[in-house]
Amino acid sequence: MNIQGSVIMITGASSGIGAATARAAFAAGARLVLLARREDRITELAEELGNALAVRCDVTDRDQAEDTYGRVDVLVNNAGQGLEAAIEDIAIEDFRDILDLNLVAPLIMMQAVLPLMRAQGAGAIINVSSGVTFYPRPHSVAYNSAKAGLNMLSAVARAELADQGIAVSTMLPFVTATEFTDALKAGSEAARAEPAAAVAHTPERVADRILDLIRSGDERADLVPQRFGGSLAA
Ligand SMILES: NC(=O)c1ccc[n+]([C@@H]2O[C@H](COP(=O)([O-])OP(=O)(O)OC[C@H]3O[C@@H](n4cnc5c(N)ncnc54)[C@H](OP(=O)(O)O)[C@@H]3O)[C@@H](O)[C@H]2O)c1
């Protein structure tokens, strides 16, 4: 997909990887549709970029997510949240919320844009999963399960949509310096103490790989060090 002149919709554009992807895509000539719940943040980013539309949206709310936005060439399903807790301590409602946001919402968003992409005969969808799905990290069962499900959702969608000119790709970032740890549904303090947190990537680095995926339509990209099962040489 050629980024220059394309319309790219990014969920979770109010901070971190989503905001960095918006800035990188704008620099590459895209027009942006920015989605998140914190309207002040996305409005400010839209003003900074000049050529962007800010839409307040809770992506877990089907009615809000299914509004149409005219043309959409690329969807970056980036909104997400983690939860850090031992299996026996997880509140079931929290577990469901994490599945809803990280697994069900990407499907809702895909269903919202697919009719447009099919009518256009082309499209790219990037699902932002996590490198944590490369290994069963203790205290991460809600988030890991949701993102592992997203990996399969993304792979099945890729197989299903390939003959319609729609490329579905999966991005697997490693630990990234964003608001993610502070925004965990539970367990932020324990997560901050993780040794891996000391080697965090910048959100700009992840954004660059997301742009690569948009351009190439490749199946997946990861920024996970080899010692954690990924492809990144130390
Ligand atoms: N940071 C990491 O170490 C890391 C590693 C691997 C993968 N990831 C993945 O990367 C993606 C981006 O995370 P990040 O690191 O950039 O974290 P972040 O800075 O906390 O950003 C998360 C984004 O998701 C949005 N969001 C959360 N709930 C939402 C909802 N119900 N509806 C709409 N938007 C919602 C937030 O916006 P509002 O609060 O304004 O709605 C925010 O813009 C996530 O999918 C995350 O799982 C992160």
Side-chain angles (χ1 to χ4, degrees), residues 199-222:
V199 292
H201 295 145
T202 64
E204 288 75 22
R205 185 171 184 183
V206 183
D208 283 346
R209 295 306 301 272
I210 290 173
L211 260 59
D212 288 345
L213 280 177
I214 295 171
R215 292 189 183 99
S216 67
D218 283 350
E219 185 167 1
R220 55 160 57 193
D222 77 80

Side-chain angles (χ1 to χ4, degrees), residues 12 14-15 17 37-38 58-59 78 129 143 147 174 176 178:
S14 59
S15 67
I17 294 168
R37 294 165 305 176
R38 285 172 292 181
D58 182 331
V59 291
N78 165 77
S129 179
Y143 182 68
K147 292 295 196 185
F174 190 59
T176 310
T178 66

Side-chain angles (χ1 to χ4, degrees), residues 33-199:
V33 183
L34 310 172
L35 271 58
R37 294 165 305 176
R38 285 172 292 181
E39 195 168 16
D40 52 335
R41 295 264 198 118
I42 47 174
T43 302
E44 202 175 307
L45 182 57
E47 282 164 8
E48 175 194 321
L49 300 183
N51 194 11
L53 179 65
V55 182
R56 205 207 89 82
C57 173
D58 182 331
V59 291
T60 62
D61 181 335
R62 176 176 287 272
D63 291 340
Q64 288 183 29
E66 282 192 345
D67 286 351
T68 46
Y69 305 98
R71 186 177 179 84
V72 177
D73 299 298
V74 181
L75 166 67
V76 182
N77 259 327
N78 165 77
Q81 186 187 30
L83 184 153
E84 191 80 5
I87 285 176
E88 65 192 277
D89 296 334
I90 296 172
I92 294 304
E93 269 320 298
D94 287 351
F95 190 83
R96 288 204 175 99
D97 286 350
I98 292 297
L99 289 180
D100 249 3
L101 176 59
N102 294 283
L103 177 58
V104 180
L107 175 66
I108 291 174
M109 292 305 304
M110 279 196 249
Q111 289 182 339
V113 302
L114 278 174
L116 293 170
M117 290 182 175
R118 257 202 315 276
Q120 294 159 191
I125 296 172
I126 314 296
N127 291 313
V128 181
S129 179
S130 172
V132 81
T133 56
F134 282 48
Y135 53 102
R137 198 171 70 77
H139 298 166
S140 182
V141 72
Y143 182 68
N144 260 44
S145 302
K147 292 295 196 185
L150 179 61
N151 291 351
M152 185 53 78
L153 170 64
S154 199
V156 172
R158 182 176 178 85
E160 212 172 291
L161 297 166
D163 65 356
Q164 299 175 47
I166 301 167
V168 182
S169 309
T170 309
M171 177 70 220
L172 300 124
F174 190 59
V175 181
T176 310
T178 66
E179 296 171 25
F180 184 80
T181 304
D182 291 329
L184 292 180
K185 201 164 187 68
S188 288
E189 207 167 302
R192 271 192 288 270
E194 275 258 328
V199 292

